Amino acid sequence: MKYESIKTTILIILVVFSIVLTWSLWTYQPQYDHLGGTDDDLVAEVTTNITKDASEIIKPTKILYHIDGQHFGTYNETELNRVMKRLRSWEINEVQNITHTVQDQGLAEFLKQNGQVEIYFPDPFPLELYKSFIKINDKDYSFISFDRFVIDVNSEENGEGIVYFVSTGDNLVYEGRVNSRLTREFRKDFFTTATRYPEQIEYKLSDTNSVYLPKDTTTVERVDYYIDAIEIDTFIDRLFTNSSLVKKDVLTTGEVHTDGTRLLRVYNNQKYIEFMNPTSISGEPVQTTDLIQTSIDFVNEHVGWTDDYRFFSWSKENQTTVFKLYLKNIPVFSQKGLTDITQQWDNNDIARYFHPSINLRIDLDSIKVPLPKGEKVMEEITSKPNFNPELLESVTVAYDLIENEDNSQFVSLQPIWTYRYNGSWKRVEIKNEDLGGHKDGLE
């Protein structure tokens, strides 16, 4: 009898426990964060006062090694960061113009000599700004601009290694000297292992220019993103001298904010803002060596680095700079201008300013996409009517930002090949290949 009583008690306890557990499961409400946090958290993260120096904005796009007649290169961000970290400890001396010594053989032949290591940048920029990367002891270099930094791991003269600053557009070469120990260590740690990178095939365009493209298929991830709107009040507070004087008008196309002089347009459907200052302050024009740094400082002042934007191009004549969105060291293009921060200056003051009003918030999905071999890419480019090889400046892997037609809060970054021809970027349209989109122009 006592045994039966114990069994009954245990059974009752189990039944009660089961009821309590079931009720808890039915009524449980997990504390999910809304897309990683509250709406206030989203705004706070986007508008955090992030400032960057030139070394974080001006970054190399590719490294190319010339080894015994073969060429190996990569745009891998991790590898390029390793290289740039090494270069930060270097000191460069005796910078001098040696263009006349390479004219006979041609710049393209000079650059591909065995032992040369080319570090590519997206557009020529003043050597003065390179002080953010490397210590340069010579003072008379502010007038030099370059888009390639070249290391010769084979040459050594009087205990010194040789490096070069090259402007491919102007066909100029400047030589510098470093401690030979540095170039020997670079050879051992980087050059001798570079054959693990994809082999590149040279396509010679002229005596001064060649492009190098992968021998084999390149695989790049297509990435889908949820996008988030940027808090416009942040721009209003920083772009206007006195934000309390700013008045807002709501239009069918968006919003207009003005203090009577300056004007900020918010294009809701286009997902970017335009700031205009029609009365620029009188003064001396921005100097060549200062325009890029001035543009970086301007974005720093109003919390403008809302994504991984980097220096992409500039024009001394037009006083403009462009900082482009990058993803894993790959430039992102958009036909609507959603991936560019563009500035136009006039008399030391900002005249016009374009900035995307969105940022890439959450990586939703990715899939690997094979891109055509370099040979196929060059066949397509050179088959264009009236193609002039001397006008082809560069060819690169890129992303094309495609908006989702069903939901404006989603975009897809689709891998493509692009090329710069006569100053304009165009998309390589490979026949019988669906890489997304149809238009040729990217700007």
Side-chain angles (χ1 to χ4, degrees), residues 232-430:
I232 302 302
D233 287 343
T234 300
F235 289 98
I236 295 173
D237 292 339
R238 303 299 179 94
L239 293 176
F240 290 93
T241 305
N242 188 345
S243 60
S244 63
L245 300 178
V246 177
K247 295 183 179 180
K248 171 183 174 181
D249 290 323
V250 179
L251 308 176
T252 56
T253 57
E255 303 172 2
V256 174
H257 304 263
T258 180
D259 61 359
T261 302
R262 299 186 173 194
L263 183 145
L264 176 68
R265 293 183 182 273
V266 182
Y267 296 92
N268 292 334
N269 294 333
Q270 300 299 324
K271 299 184 176 68
Y272 69 88
I273 66 167
E274 177 185 11
F275 178 73
M276 290 179 287
N277 179 24
T279 58
S280 300
I281 301 172
S282 297
E284 294 296 324
V286 178
Q287 298 300 310
T288 302
T289 56
D290 294 337
L291 181 59
I292 299 174
Q293 184 62 60
T294 299
S295 298
I296 294 173
D297 293 340
F298 179 76
V299 181
N300 278 334
E301 289 170 1
H302 67 272
V303 202
W305 306 120
T306 51
D307 267 312
D308 187 11
Y309 288 95
R310 303 180 185 179
F311 168 71
F312 188 69
S313 64
W314 72 305
S315 170
K316 175 186 174 183
E317 292 75 19
N318 298 326
Q319 293 287 281
T320 59
T321 55
V322 177
F323 301 101
K324 180 169 287 294
L325 175 66
Y326 275 74
L327 177 65
K328 298 180 180 179
N329 209 40
I330 299 176
V332 184
F333 289 85
S334 165
Q335 294 174 8
K336 293 184 178 181
L338 303 184
T339 59
D340 292 347
I341 297 175
T342 304
Q343 301 177 40
Q344 182 178 353
W345 291 81
D346 186 13
N347 292 327
N348 276 337
D349 200 5
I350 190 71
R352 299 187 74 187
Y353 176 57
F354 296 87
H355 193 295
S357 59
I358 60 171
N359 74 318
L360 303 181
R361 181 60 184 168
I362 298 176
D363 179 351
L364 298 173
D365 192 19
S366 62
I367 182 173
K368 291 185 177 180
V369 175
L371 292 178
K373 299 179 181 179
E375 181 181 9
K376 186 72 174 177
V377 172
M378 287 302 297
E379 286 178 0
E380 179 62 27
I381 295 174
T382 56
S383 67
K384 298 291 183 182
N386 303 317
F387 173 78
N388 183 349
E390 294 188 357
L391 297 180
L392 180 61
E393 301 168 47
S394 62
V395 184
T396 184
V397 169
Y399 278 114
D400 191 8
L401 186 147
I402 306 297
E403 296 180 82
N404 189 300
E405 295 181 356
D406 299 324
N407 191 324
S408 62
Q409 289 186 298
F410 296 92
V411 296
S412 177
L413 271 54
Q414 301 189 16
I416 57 172
W417 278 106
T418 64
Y419 64 103
R420 185 166 60 185
Y421 184 82
N422 197 23
S424 297
W425 284 94
K426 301 179 181 294
R427 178 193 181 113
V428 180
E429 295 287 354
I430 305 295

Side-chain angles (χ1 to χ4, degrees), residues 199-229:
E199 184 176 356
Q200 310 286 304
I201 303 299
E202 179 189 15
Y203 298 90
K204 191 167 184 178
L205 305 173
S206 66
D207 290 340
T208 60
N209 189 24
S210 291
V211 296
Y212 294 83
L213 300 180
K215 178 180 179 181
D216 299 319
T217 300
T218 300
T219 300
V220 184
E221 282 191 337
R222 188 204 75 194
V223 189
D224 297 331
Y225 274 95
Y226 169 83
I227 59 176
D228 184 34

Side-chain angles (χ1 to χ4, degrees), residues 5-22:
S5 227
I6 292 173
K7 284 204 307 182
T8 302
T9 301
I10 292 174
L11 183 59
I12 292 172
I13 292 173
L14 290 174
V15 170
V16 171
F17 180 76
S18 177
I19 293 172
V20 172
L21 181 61
T22 301

Side-chain angles (χ1 to χ4, degrees), residues 149-160:
F149 180 64
V150 182
I151 305 167
D152 188 342
V153 300
N154 285 340
S155 63
E156 182 176 337
E157 297 181 12
N158 301 320
E160 293 179 318

